[in-house]
Amino acid sequence: MSLRLRHMLERPADALAGGGTAGSPPWRRRWLQPVRRLSRRGVSWALADQALVSAFNFLTIYLYARSLSAASFGVLLLAYSGLRLLTALQGAVVVGPHNVLGAALEGLEYRRFTTALVVLQVVVATGVTAILAIAGVIVTYAVSPQYGEIVLVIAIIVWPFVSRDFVRRAFFTRGNSRAATFNDVISYGLQLVGAFAITYWDWGRSGPEAAFFVFGVSSLASIIAAVPHLRHEVAFDSETLHGMTESWAKAWHFGKWVVAKNVLEWFGSRGHSWVVAIMLGTGAVGTYRAATHLANVMNPLRLAATNYLPARGSYAFQMRGHAGLTRWVARVAVALAVALVPFGILLIGFPHDILHLAYGTRYSSHELAEILALSTVGQIIGFVRYPCDVGILAMRSTRSLFYVAIIPVILLATCGVALIHVFGILGVPLSLIVMNASLLATTWWIYLKLMREQTGLAVVKKPEAQ
């Protein structure tokens, strides 16, 4: 699987960079320079990085699932989902523009753009910290001291937690997957060591607060370790400072619809946990998430695609146009679908055995086995559509992705709530399948529609230019 997947993912860049450029015009050779760099560095380190990150994350959450009570584990994951939402929001206006817009920049122009986004990252993270600190005080006195304490702890660790995502994905913008891998070994390795310490010495017996401190300390360590590598990619000169607002405007113009899309996607994908918490309690959240967590063994592929493919799709579109992008999307979609087959066989075919192996008798009921199998089906359906998302992103139609993201929110508020009310936590994976199937069909339709519209527009404009 790995050789086949690697070949398919590298093929677009190889095709762009290959074939010789001695007779190519200067502009083509300039555009090919970053593509060659990405091709030389390859996808191997990116896949290795995501395998390590996913393994560390998987084991971290698994340790908490085994050691914490179902209620405490549910609270931990609800708060963690909030952190992931904040990461997605800053990723839309900072990380995403750097990955896509910064990928085509070179030299001083790239360093100035990176500098502007570094400053923006600091501003965003600091503002989020202040807002959460105020919210923590309000919750402590107006709602519950216990929940207020959790919000205050999150306020303390949110700055490094969201900032480490910018650091690690800045490496991927330049294809420096090796540096990203070593940095993630520090961050997520310390996170796993901290989780082991919490579970071994039973530091989490009073609640999930210790786990959040581990997230914060490990994230801060990764940021400190990355400074020597990234300091040459920033340029604090007068022209950079004067053009900073222009760079922010470009980032916002690119990411404003992605912000809305990420919020809607969060409600569509993680909103189930909050619905379950409201309707059935945090204990049900912990039970459901402990069972479905085993399906996250597929995360190395998902995270590798999220970090690596946007820049690849952008290059394929820039260098070969709509026809090249279509071929690239088709190849990657097939490669990812084939790569998911082994996971589907194990998780869908033998869910009860896998649950018993992971948790003993604690989470090995027949209902939870069905939940694990159905959740795996839903995740596979949702993952197969990602290459189309990248294609739409490469064509700069971020507004379309926003409209697509409305679908799961509507379905969660209607059939999702109804299914959870009727079937309990078994209704969560059922609604997930309905949502992701609808998203797959809609995303493909929008992608093909954009492709027809843009290629038709190019044919119309060509005679006018002549």
Side-chain angles (χ1 to χ4, degrees):
M1 179 274 293
S2 59
L3 291 177
R4 178 67 173 166
L5 178 62
R6 177 179 175 181
H7 172 72
M8 288 189 176
L9 292 180
E10 285 186 326
R11 187 173 177 184
D14 292 342
L16 296 175
T21 58
S24 302
W27 68 265
R28 179 177 175 81
R29 290 196 294 272
R30 285 198 300 270
W31 276 103
L32 285 173
Q33 288 174 1
V35 180
R36 290 197 193 95
R37 180 173 60 250
L38 289 175
S39 299
R40 288 196 302 266
R41 292 173 181 176
V43 74
S44 300
W45 279 104
L47 292 176
D49 171 76
Q50 297 313 317
L52 286 172
V53 170
S54 296
F56 288 154
N57 266 335
F58 180 86
L59 292 173
T60 297
I61 301 300
Y62 172 70
L63 288 173
Y64 292 140
R66 285 185 62 93
S67 62
L68 296 176
S69 67
S72 293
F73 185 60
V75 171
L76 171 65
L77 291 183
L78 287 173
Y80 185 74
S81 71
L83 284 171
R84 298 307 305 171
L85 172 62
L86 295 175
T87 303
L89 293 179
Q90 64 92 28
V93 295
V94 183
V95 179
H98 191 268
N99 284 158
V100 178
L101 302 180
L105 302 178
E106 286 294 317
L108 184 59
E109 188 179 8
Y110 169 77
R111 292 197 297 274
R112 286 172 174 168
F113 187 69
T114 300
T115 304
L117 293 189
V118 167
V119 175
L120 181 60
Q121 173 65 41
V122 172
V123 171
V124 170
T126 303
V128 170
T129 299
I131 292 172
L132 285 176
I134 296 172
V137 174
I138 295 174
V139 171
T140 299
Y141 289 100
V143 181
S144 165
Q146 179 184 1
Y147 291 131
E149 181 181 354
I150 293 176
V151 176
L152 289 172
V153 170
I154 294 175
I156 294 173
I157 62 95
V158 70
W159 199 100
F161 187 90
V162 298
S163 297
R164 76 170 173 181
D165 191 58
F166 174 81
V167 168
R168 68 186 300 271
R169 292 184 63 179
F171 287 120
F172 284 106
T173 301
R174 311 314 286 169
N176 196 357
S177 305
R178 182 177 180 179
T181 302
F182 286 123
N183 186 262
D184 286 336
V185 167
I186 295 173
S187 175
Y188 293 91
L190 288 175
Q191 176 180 293
L192 179 59
V193 170
F196 179 80
I198 289 174
T199 57
Y200 184 80
W201 282 292
D202 200 22
W203 290 342
R205 60 186 177 274
S206 60
E209 291 84 353
F212 287 114
F213 276 115
V214 169
F215 286 137
V217 171
S218 60
S219 300
L220 182 61
S222 72
I223 295 172
I224 295 174
V227 169
H229 298 276
L230 296 177
R231 62 187 178 89
H232 300 295
E233 298 194 4
V234 296
F236 284 101
D237 53 53
S238 58
E239 189 170 345
T240 300
L241 297 177
H242 286 125
M244 193 166 292
T245 54
E246 181 181 352
S247 297
W248 291 356
K250 290 180 180 178
W252 174 248
H253 179 74
F254 174 85
K256 60 184 178 181
W257 288 103
V258 183
V259 170
K261 176 188 78 74
N262 287 350
V263 172
L264 293 176
E265 283 186 344
W266 181 88
F267 277 105
S269 62
R270 300 182 183 271
H272 290 95
S273 296
W274 292 89
V275 173
V276 171
I278 294 171
M279 297 177 64
L280 306 176
T282 56
V285 175
T287 301
Y288 163 74
R289 292 297 298 273
T292 58
H293 176 66
L294 301 181
N296 290 335
V297 295
M298 297 183 288
N299 274 355
L301 282 174
R302 181 180 64 81
L303 293 176
T306 301
N307 286 318
Y308 197 78
L309 293 182
R312 286 292 209 193
S314 179
Y315 280 128
F317 182 59
Q318 288 176 11
M319 300 306 300
R320 292 296 177 90
H322 294 83
L325 179 63
T326 299
R327 291 191 295 270
W328 182 87
V329 167
R331 284 195 295 264
V332 174
V334 172
L336 295 180
V338 171
L340 291 171
V341 170
F343 299 106
I345 292 174
L346 290 175
L347 295 171
I348 299 172
F350 309 95
H352 190 277
D353 296 328
I354 292 175
L355 281 170
H356 185 76
L357 179 64
Y359 299 114
T361 59
R362 186 178 183 185
Y363 295 117
S364 60
S365 68
H366 179 71
E367 182 186 29
L368 292 180
E370 291 180 345
I371 287 173
L372 174 58
L374 292 172
S375 178
T376 303
V377 173
Q379 287 196 35
I380 290 175
I381 294 173
F383 185 58
V384 168
R385 77 180 179 91
Y386 184 69
C388 259
D389 281 345
V390 176
I392 294 172
L393 193 64
M395 289 186 283
R396 302 294 192 269
S397 184
T398 54
R399 183 181 300 186
S400 298
L401 296 177
F402 164 74
Y403 291 137
V404 170
I406 298 175
I407 295 174
V409 177
I410 296 174
L411 292 176
L412 174 62
T414 53
C415 72
V417 172
L419 288 170
I420 293 172
H421 176 72
V422 174
F423 297 102
I425 55 176
L426 182 61
V428 178
L430 292 174
S431 64
L432 182 66
I433 291 174
V434 174
M435 288 179 185
N436 285 340
S438 302
L439 286 172
L440 176 62
T442 306
T443 304
W444 273 103
W445 178 78
I446 290 178
Y447 170 75
L448 295 175
K449 182 174 181 290
L450 284 171
M451 188 65 66
R452 288 193 299 267
E453 289 177 351
Q454 293 192 8
T455 52
L457 184 62
V459 171
V460 171
K461 285 187 174 182
K462 189 174 180 179
E464 295 177 357
Q466 292 175 346

